[in-house]
Amino acid sequence: MTLRITALILLLNLGLSCKPANARTWITADSIYLFSYAQPQNSGRTGLQFAWSRDAQHWKTIGDQSGFVRSDYGRWGAQKKMITPWLIQGPDMSWHCVWQLNSEEPVFALVSSKDLLYWGPQSYPKVAATGTCLHPVIRYDVSQKTYLITYTDKNRHYYQVQTTDFKHYTAAKPVSQDAYHFAQVEVHLPTGNFKGQLHKVSWKQAAALIAANDLNEYHSARDRESAATDPARFAGLKTIDASLTFNPDQTKPISNLLIGAFFEDLNYAADGGLYGELIQNRNFEYRLSDKEGRDTTWNAMHSWQLTGQGTQLKLDSVEPIHVNNPHYVLLTTQEPGAKLSNNGYDGIPLIKNAAYDLSLFVKSVDPGKHYFKVRLVNPDGTVLATTNLNTSSTHWKKLEVKLIPNADAKAARLELEPITKGKLALDMVSLFPENTFHHRKNGLRADIASAVADLHPKFLRFPGGCLVHGDGLGNIYRWKNTIGPLESRRPDRNLWGYHQSMGLGYFEYFQFCEDIGAQPVPVIAAGVPCQNSATGGGGQQGGIPIDQMPAYIQDILDLIEYANGDKNSTWGKKRAEAGHPAPFNLKYIGIGNEDLISDVFEIRFSMIYAALKKAHPEITVIGTVGPNSDGTDYTEGWRIADSLQVPMVDEHYYKSPGWFIYNQDFYDKYDRTHSKVYLGEYAAHLPGKPVNVETALSEALYLTSIERNGDIVHMASYAPLLAREGYTDWNPNLIYFNGQQVHLTTGYQVQKLFGQNSGYRYTPGQLQLSNEAEKVRVRVGFSMVRDTVSGDQILKLINLLPVAIDLTTDLSPWIKPNSNVSATKTIFTGAPTDKKALPESKDVTIEQKPVMKLPPYSFTLIRFNGGM
Ligand code: AHR
């Protein structure tokens, strides 16, 4: 059959199966053919694609791999399929697309668009309790004024559901095969043969798709620009002359919380990281489900070992210390010799003569006194510290003792050796350095906490991230499980594939914020789990049942009472019992984390927001607008924020250095009458995910634009903060560490320079360059802020070019003529791929119009006080 005949026959099919209700489309004089399809090779993961043709024979694709809408159903990555998308235009000229999601569930996907460019939220109607929903087809029935969605199943039975509003559907009813018009056309595209649908659209419509794709490709090419290709891009570029002047009359106040930090428990950031506990799995609560059964060694005995003869170990749960901590070990000893040991996280690092607090819960299961030895031991068997303990209590009793090692150790272990015959139960075996950050009990690892403190973060967002909304409804982070005595806290699976002991809980987070002078910014799930969590198998987001939402909201109100309430209030009392009678002065609370902005989300977020606004107008609620700087979640999130007048929204975007370079005007364009912005997560990502001078300088460049927009951007935090080497699920991070060392990245240096040199008033200025080419201009940035506390002016200058800049700056608004002013000059520079560059500071004097050289690929910071 010739192509022409094929096309004609299939066009006929098209008329039968998806005839547009409004015939205008078909008679437009300048109409062309539009082919809609998805790529079966990748199960449609590149989304709904288009090609166009004047004659249905010669086709041009509109973007080879870039769909105009992609499926967002199911778990991360592979499940997000778009199988046989079926697209029609409804009577109101809106487009509606349905597609098959998988071959297991009775669910299909639906999404609508007015212009084929912007696609609204997707919905995933469930058509039956069981069965499958294969190759759904949508059409509009003019007589019934109803959309009919017809599909088949594995047994080739046919069913139909109907809807008028895409929110409510009739129950699926069996129909005959005649009612099902699944007639795809096969078209020969330059990229191969594809099956899909033919449509006729106006040339204007097709041109808009082509233009959108061209713009997208143009932006992508700019985003891909990196220092690796600078030699070609800037071949022959000479040193640039520049002059910088300021407009002091346009000085404006900016946020005093601009640069902060975001802590999420991923990459072992909490247990095995910031949390000072040295014993791994101290309470025998690791579970196979923490890793979804993928690792059989990840069980209640993980990190524990019984060696030697004379003692049998049983994992028990008959009479636990607390119901939230059900497992413990029962040691039955006939004669001494066996040792129960724990080697912490890659061994326990110890410092000679430092004190370590050992504690454990013990119980004599049979009468009499039970003696046992406790030792810290090197891998070669050398004993570093030892003590004898005993108990005759037949109830759980906490024993505490200090151990002081007689030598340094990189990777010691803790040993417990029962001496007495009989049965001894053990749980909550814990070892902390006495020297925790600020010497807090149950405290934080001092070197990591100090590195965070050195950033001078004005706020700390915690405890996530995706960790907060969790992997499914049962995994939503519940703050109440994380406070109170350690043995009563309820551990949980960490959706990043490990375990949360909750030893680092809400009290410790608040305490840490106070210790480092950071405003606490807790984030609470918006009543929905992660959009990728696929609740109940292959499903989608889901939400806390509406009848349970009041209790969920009460938990959030209780959190505010816990943080700020009087010490005699129900929850304030618990804070006081934990050792902090004074309030923590909570002012911000994030609701949601880059969630899928669906009806399910909107209903729950609106309920929480209304309750918080009513009960706590003094608290600034931070909404969420998805995981990107554009797209459906971003647009819909902002729509909700606008309609509810949410005071602030949390934006997230991880982008290439090129994106940060070319989008420095991102917030210049923001309407100042809308919600303020918390840029809660951002980082420059290069292929291979390094943190180097290039990524750090592109972040620095962007941060100068954040300072410029500090009137609308209230807070910003790089993400993620911490990663334990060898346990890193996500790169890049700001701080890497192992058991003994902390490694600070180039990105860290930039954050620290901004954090330690924040200002609260911004003065705009103009930079004149001797070379005004766009690619040159966008790689040079500056900002001038005043620290109103010290009265210092802080000038930040970024040069992301491979050549130096000779800069003359007019500082006459702040420095008198003919005077020399003391200043600190800091330069951070290196080759773009350098991962170890460090800032170097020196004291200098500057005059009113200093001339300075900005080295290639550099960040120069001048801090001075001209007394004006
Ligand atoms: O920062 C790492 C992750 O990135 C966060 O958990 C999530 O919010 C984002 O997708």
Side-chain angles (χ1 to χ4, degrees), residues 76 262 264 266-267 461 464-469 495-496 532 593-594 627 650 652 654 680-682 718-721 730 732-733:
W76 291 264
F262 161 48
E264 174 164 18
L266 87 161
N267 306 322
R461 171 178 173 233
C466 291
L467 181 89
V468 165
H469 54 192
L495 94 168
W496 294 104
N532 298 306
N593 174 67
E594 59 175 58
D650 178 13
H652 296 177
Y654 297 92
E681 294 182 24
Y682 70 94
Y718 179 101
L721 183 63
W730 180 292
N733 302 279

Side-chain angles (χ1 to χ4, degrees), residues 113-127:
S113 171
K114 285 193 175 10
D115 54 11
L116 297 178
L117 295 169
Y118 177 73
W119 295 83
Q122 297 174 23
S123 59
Y124 311 104
K126 191 166 180 178
V127 292

Side-chain angles (χ1 to χ4, degrees), residues 122-201:
Q122 297 174 23
S123 59
Y124 311 104
K126 191 166 180 178
V127 292
T130 56
T132 53
C133 179
L134 309 181
H135 310 304
V137 168
I138 182 169
R139 70 187 170 91
Y140 186 72
D141 187 301
V142 182
S143 58
Q144 294 186 70
K145 295 193 171 138
T146 301
Y147 288 93
L148 312 176
I149 294 117
T150 315
Y151 60 94
T152 183
D153 67 4
K154 281 188 172 159
N155 302 317
R156 291 185 173 269
H157 296 141
Y158 301 93
Y159 301 90
Q160 189 174 83
V161 294
Q162 303 186 4
T163 183
T164 53
D165 59 6
F166 299 115
K167 289 189 189 302
H168 306 92
Y169 292 83
T170 58
K173 67 164 195 220
V175 290
S176 72
Q177 185 175 2
D178 294 346
Y180 180 62
H181 306 294
F182 180 70
Q184 290 184 302
V185 303
E186 183 166 359
V187 157
H188 305 291
L189 300 182
T191 45
N193 288 1
F194 290 97
K195 287 183 179 163
Q197 285 172 272
L198 284 186
H199 315 267
K200 274 212 152 186
V201 299

Side-chain angles (χ1 to χ4, degrees), residues 576-646:
E577 283 164 6
H580 202 287
F584 279 120
N585 198 21
L586 176 69
K587 291 183 179 154
Y588 297 85
I589 196 161
I591 300 297
N593 174 67
E594 59 175 58
D595 300 291
L596 179 80
I597 310 294
S598 59
D599 288 352
V600 178
F601 167 88
E602 186 167 356
I603 291 165
R604 286 157 184 79
F605 177 86
S606 304
M607 289 171 80
I608 299 168
Y609 180 65
L612 283 176
K613 200 173 151 195
K614 185 165 170 219
H616 289 285
E618 77 284 6
I619 298 283
T620 299
V621 174
I622 306 171
T624 183
V625 297
N628 215 334
S629 57
D630 56 14
T632 305
D633 295 327
Y634 175 86
T635 306
E636 297 298 320
W638 268 103
R639 175 186 60 72
I640 294 171
D642 284 345
S643 75
L644 296 179
Q645 297 188 315
V646 178

Side-chain angles (χ1 to χ4, degrees), residues 663-822:
N663 284 278
Q664 291 169 67
D665 60 348
F666 192 75
Y667 294 112
D668 295 335
K669 296 182 284 199
Y670 268 44
D671 183 337
R672 267 51 189 167
T673 63
H674 290 226
S675 315
K676 289 206 185 297
V677 173
Y678 166 32
L679 175 52
E681 294 182 24
Y682 70 94
H685 284 189
L686 274 170
K689 307 287 171 64
V691 195
N692 58 24
V693 165
E694 179 183 5
T695 56
L697 288 182
S698 63
E699 287 150 9
L701 187 70
Y702 197 69
L703 282 172
T704 61
S705 81
I706 295 286
E707 287 193 329
R708 180 171 69 242
N709 286 285
D711 55 328
I712 176 90
V713 181
H714 196 66
M715 304 189 284
S717 48
Y718 179 101
L721 183 63
L722 295 175
R724 186 176 179 103
E725 288 160 357
Y727 301 88
T728 303
D729 280 316
W730 180 292
N731 279 305
N733 302 279
L734 217 50
I735 299 170
Y736 290 81
F737 58 89
N738 55 36
Q740 294 175 293
Q741 296 154 323
V742 171
H743 299 130
L744 307 173
T745 61
T746 50
Y748 175 90
Q749 304 302 344
V750 161
Q751 293 293 325
K752 187 170 147 189
L753 286 172
F754 272 85
Q756 295 194 353
N757 294 283
S758 301
Y760 312 122
R761 292 180 70 74
Y762 178 89
T763 303
Q766 295 83 38
L767 183 67
Q768 302 288 334
L769 299 174
S770 57
N771 182 332
E772 278 289 343
E774 190 197 21
K775 64 186 178 188
V776 170
R777 188 171 38 77
V778 293
R779 285 171 167 82
V780 188
F782 70 93
S783 81
M784 173 66 95
V785 295
R786 187 181 189 90
D787 171 5
T788 43
V789 179
S790 64
D792 290 356
Q793 286 295 138
I794 301 150
L795 174 61
K796 301 184 182 90
L797 299 154
I798 316 297
N799 176 14
L800 244 171
L801 290 166
V803 298
I805 299 175
D806 286 331
L807 174 74
T808 306
T809 309
D810 182 352
L811 297 175
S812 52
W814 304 286
I815 297 181
K816 294 190 188 106
N818 306 319
S819 62
N820 279 323
V821 166
S822 306

Side-chain angles (χ1 to χ4, degrees), residues 34 42 106 153 354 371 394 435 446 481-482 496 515 558 583 765 864:
L34 188 73
N42 62 26
D153 67 4
Y371 290 87
T394 50
N435 179 28
N481 290 338
T482 77
W496 294 104
D515 286 343
D558 292 345
F864 65 97

